[in-house]
Amino acid sequence: MSSRTGRATDEREVMLCADGPILLPGPVTVEDEDGVKHHSERPVVAVCRCGATGSAPWCDGSHKLVRRDAGPRAVPRPRRSGSERPLEDY
Amino acid sequence: MRGAPPLPTPRGELSEALVAALGGRGVTRCLEPDSAADEALSLWILYELHHRGFEGVDDALEWDPALLVCRAHLEHDLEARWRRRARAVVTPAQQRCEAGEELAPVFFDLCETDTGGGSIASFLQREADLDQALAVLRQRSIYHVREQDPSMWTLPRLDDETKAHLVAIAADEYGNGDPTRLHARMWRRGVEACGLDGGYAAYVDQALPEVLEQVNLMSMLGLHRRLVPAALGHLAAFEVTSAVPSRRVARGLERVGAPEEMVDYYREHMVADAVHEQLAVRRMLGSLVAHDPDTLPDVLWGGAVCLLAEQATATAVLAHVGAEQESAVA
Ligand SMILES: [Fe+2]
Ligand SMILES: [Fe+2]
C-alpha cells in the first residue's frame, strides 16, 4: 500500500493476502486453468490461491480449513498437494 | 415513521412500562428488568427508536431524556457483562500484538477461537429438517433485516482512509447502487419464497433473548463514538466468520429442498464475505489501528464479542429447534 501516492490514475492495485486469496479490482474476467472464463461485477474480487475453494476461481474462505488441517502456522501452497476435501461432506 | 413495525409484545415489567410509555399510556418508568428476556427486549425497543421507530410512536421520543436514561442504565450492564465475558479471548490476542505480531494473523486466529459449543451452520448442513431450518431463519431474521446498518453509524467518526475502506465493504452489502442486490432485500426475497414473513422485525415476538442481545450489542457498539473501534472489530469478525458457514448453510438448505432464492442469499455470502473479510481485517482494521494504535484493545474486544454472542445465540437456537445437543442442556 506504500505505492498509493503518485500512481497513475488508471493503474490497478492487486493484493496478495498472506495465507489467503489474491484481491483484484473488478469488474473482471478470470480465465481458469481449463480456459474457462469467469466474470464478476464486484468492485473487488478474491481469487483462490490455495486450491481448496468450492467456488473456483473465487475464494470462499476454505484456506482456513486447509491451514487448520495442516496444523497451526502452516502456509497453504499455491497448488494443491493432494485431493483432500477440507470441508467434510461438502 | 412510515412502514415502521408495531410495538412488540412486552415480556416483563420493564418492557411493559416502555411499551406503555411509547404508546402514550403513561410516563417512562425505568424499572429493573425482571428477566433476561425482559432486559433484552427492553433494550431492543429503546434501540429501535434509533433505527426505524415504531408505528404510532412519536419519532421525537428517540431523544427523550427519560428514555435515554433508561437506555444508558441497561447499556452499562450490557457492556460490563461483555467486557468480563470476552476477557479470556481478548487478552492472549492483545499480548501477541504487544509482542510485535501483525494485527491480521492475530485477528484471524482470534476469529477461530474455540468457543466450545455447537454451530448453527453445521446443524443446518448435516441434521436439520425443513421445519427446523425455517425455525432457524425466523430467529436469524432479527439480524438479517438490518445486517450492517448499526456499523454505518461509525462512518462520520472515522479517519479518511478507514472510512474509504468501510464504504468499499458497505457498497457491496448495500447492492452497489442496485437495490435488488441489497443483502437485506435478498434476505427478504429468500424468506418470502420460504413462506415466511419478510417484514422488518417480523419475528421479534418469537426472538430468543440471546438473539435480541446479539443485535443489541451491535446497536450499542455502533451508536457510541467511544466504541467505534469495537464496532469495526465486530464487523470484521462477522465477515471473517461468514464465508465458510454460509457455504455450510447453502448445502443444508439445498439438502432440505429450500427455495433457490433462500439458497442464493447464502451463496452470495460465501463469495462476497471471502472478499469482505480480507478488506475488513487488512485494510479497514489495518488503517484504523495504524491511525490510532490505542484502538487495538477495543478492536479485539469487538471481535471477541461477535464470536461469543454468536455462540450464545447458537446454543440457544439449537436448543430452541430441538437439535441433538438439547439433552445436554440442564
Ligand atoms: Fe451481507
Ligand atoms: Fe459481508
Side-chain angles (χ1 to χ4, degrees), chain B residues 159 162 229 285-297 299:
Chain B
D159 66 276
T162 307
L285 293 186
S287 84
L288 180 76
V289 172
H291 182 80
D292 178 3
D294 292 343
T295 57
L296 178 74
V299 162

Side-chain angles (χ1 to χ4, degrees), chain B:
Chain B
M1 193 200 242
R2 249 232 165 96
L7 281 162
T9 309
R11 300 197 198 176
E13 269 193 73
L14 177 57
S15 48
E16 178 80 63
L18 289 173
V19 165
L22 291 172
R25 295 176 285 108
V27 291
T28 301
R29 289 178 304 144
C30 203
L31 305 167
E32 280 301 313
D34 55 26
S35 65
D38 189 33
E39 182 176 359
L41 181 65
S42 297
L43 192 50
W44 184 87
I45 291 169
L46 292 167
Y47 281 140
E48 197 50 40
L49 295 172
H50 301 280
H51 284 274
R52 297 207 184 173
F54 295 99
E55 192 189 322
V57 171
D58 182 359
D59 287 330
L61 290 174
E62 178 184 1
W63 300 107
D64 178 74
L67 290 168
L68 292 175
V69 167
C70 191
R71 196 189 93 193
H73 183 71
L74 294 170
E75 284 178 316
H76 180 269
D77 289 351
L78 182 69
E79 182 177 348
R81 193 159 67 241
W82 285 87
R83 292 272 177 198
R84 269 197 310 278
R85 232 174 244 181
R87 200 166 295 145
V89 177
V90 172
T91 306
Q94 199 175 332
Q95 283 165 348
R96 283 176 62 188
C97 289
E98 282 162 5
E101 275 195 73
E102 298 257 3
L103 174 64
V106 172
F107 196 87
F108 279 115
D109 284 351
L110 179 145
C111 292
E112 290 193 29
T113 306
D114 184 359
T115 49
S119 138
I120 290 176
S122 297
F123 169 69
L124 291 176
Q125 183 188 8
R126 301 200 188 92
E127 292 164 44
D129 59 28
L130 183 59
D131 282 346
Q132 288 173 315
L134 295 180
V136 168
L137 296 176
R138 283 188 204 97
Q139 295 294 326
R140 284 296 197 206
S141 79
I142 309 299
Y143 161 74
H144 287 297
V145 294
R146 283 187 196 151
E147 224 177 70
Q148 245 174 40
D149 292 356
S151 60
M152 293 296 100
W153 280 317
T154 66
L155 208 53
R157 299 151 180 184
L158 298 175
D159 66 276
D160 293 348
E161 197 174 352
T162 307
K163 186 184 281 178
H165 294 317
L166 173 58
V167 169
I169 299 165
D172 219 23
E173 297 285 341
Y174 291 108
N176 292 306
D178 176 358
T180 67
R181 298 298 298 168
L182 193 93
H183 286 180
R185 180 78 70 87
M186 291 176 72
W187 169 263
R188 186 175 185 149
R189 260 203 308 277
V191 294
E192 286 177 353
C194 292
L196 300 178
D197 187 342
Y200 186 85
Y203 294 104
V204 69
D205 283 342
Q206 285 87 51
L208 299 167
E210 291 81 359
V211 168
L212 294 173
E213 182 149 299
Q214 188 177 27
V215 295
N216 287 344
L217 284 162
M218 295 176 70
S219 294
M220 178 177 76
L221 301 184
L223 274 174
H224 293 263
R225 185 165 52 80
R226 175 177 63 86
L227 300 177
V228 158
L232 297 193
H234 187 288
L235 169 71
F238 217 107
E239 301 290 359
V240 172
T241 54
S242 173
V244 171
S246 291
R247 185 161 137 200
R248 295 190 193 283
V249 175
R251 294 286 159 261
L253 292 175
E254 283 167 1
R255 184 179 55 73
V256 298
E260 274 300 291
E261 293 89 335
M262 195 70 248
V263 184
D264 267 349
Y265 178 82
Y266 288 97
R267 285 196 196 112
E268 161 72 11
H269 281 83
M270 64 195 203
V271 176
D273 289 344
V275 180
H276 297 168
E277 65 175 334
Q278 301 297 339
L279 296 176
V281 175
R282 296 178 196 280
R283 290 192 174 157
M284 183 186 75
L285 293 186
S287 84
L288 180 76
V289 172
H291 182 80
D292 178 3
D294 292 343
T295 57
L296 178 74
D298 266 7
V299 162
L300 298 172
W301 177 59
V305 165
C306 176
L307 289 189
L308 296 169
E310 172 57 22
Q311 191 54 66
T313 287
T315 303
V317 168
L318 292 174
H320 169 70
V321 303
E324 210 95 295
Q325 64 146 29
E326 193 185 16
S327 51
V329 176

